[in-house]
Amino acid sequence: MMDDYEVRAHCSYNLGDALEDLESINELVRPNIEIHEEDFRVRMAHLYWHLNSAWNSRNLSSDELAAADGERINELGKFPTDLDPI
């Protein structure tokens, strides 16, 4: 799993972005801070996209990752079909 440097870098990038998103969302949901539902929805969707992309790309080769077009990148951001909540 993730033996390829580029795949690990891609995964790390997405997890880093997800961490930043989560920290930002956490600040916005604190008491006495106004957040609009649409803003919360967009931010959560972006967070999930990065988490899903990190998971779904973990077994790609660097060649597959480099060749990924817009459609494939969007597929990587979808909720995993091989990860059951626990």
Side-chain angles (χ1 to χ4, degrees):
M1 180 173 112
M2 295 194 315
D3 294 331
D4 193 300
Y5 175 84
E6 285 86 8
V7 174
R8 283 184 179 250
H10 175 79
C11 185
S12 178
Y13 166 80
N14 278 290
L15 291 175
D17 258 17
L19 181 57
E20 288 177 17
D21 290 345
L22 184 57
E23 289 171 341
S24 174
I25 293 166
N26 187 45
E27 289 298 316
L28 288 173
V29 298
R30 293 186 184 279
N32 300 322
I33 296 189
E34 184 177 338
I35 183 171
H36 298 281
E37 173 120 9
E38 181 64 14
D39 186 29
F40 183 60
R41 187 191 71 75
V42 168
R43 289 171 183 264
M44 290 295 292
H46 190 250
L47 167 66
Y48 274 108
W49 190 91
H50 282 293
L51 291 172
N52 296 340
S53 185
W55 177 260
N56 289 329
S57 64
R58 74 195 186 286
N59 291 324
L60 296 180
S61 69
S62 57
D63 291 338
E64 289 172 309
L65 194 56
D69 60 8
E71 184 178 333
R72 180 68 173 126
I73 294 296
N74 285 335
E75 287 175 13
L76 293 174
K78 292 182 179 177
F79 193 81
T81 58
D82 62 339
L83 183 64
D84 295 326
I86 54 172

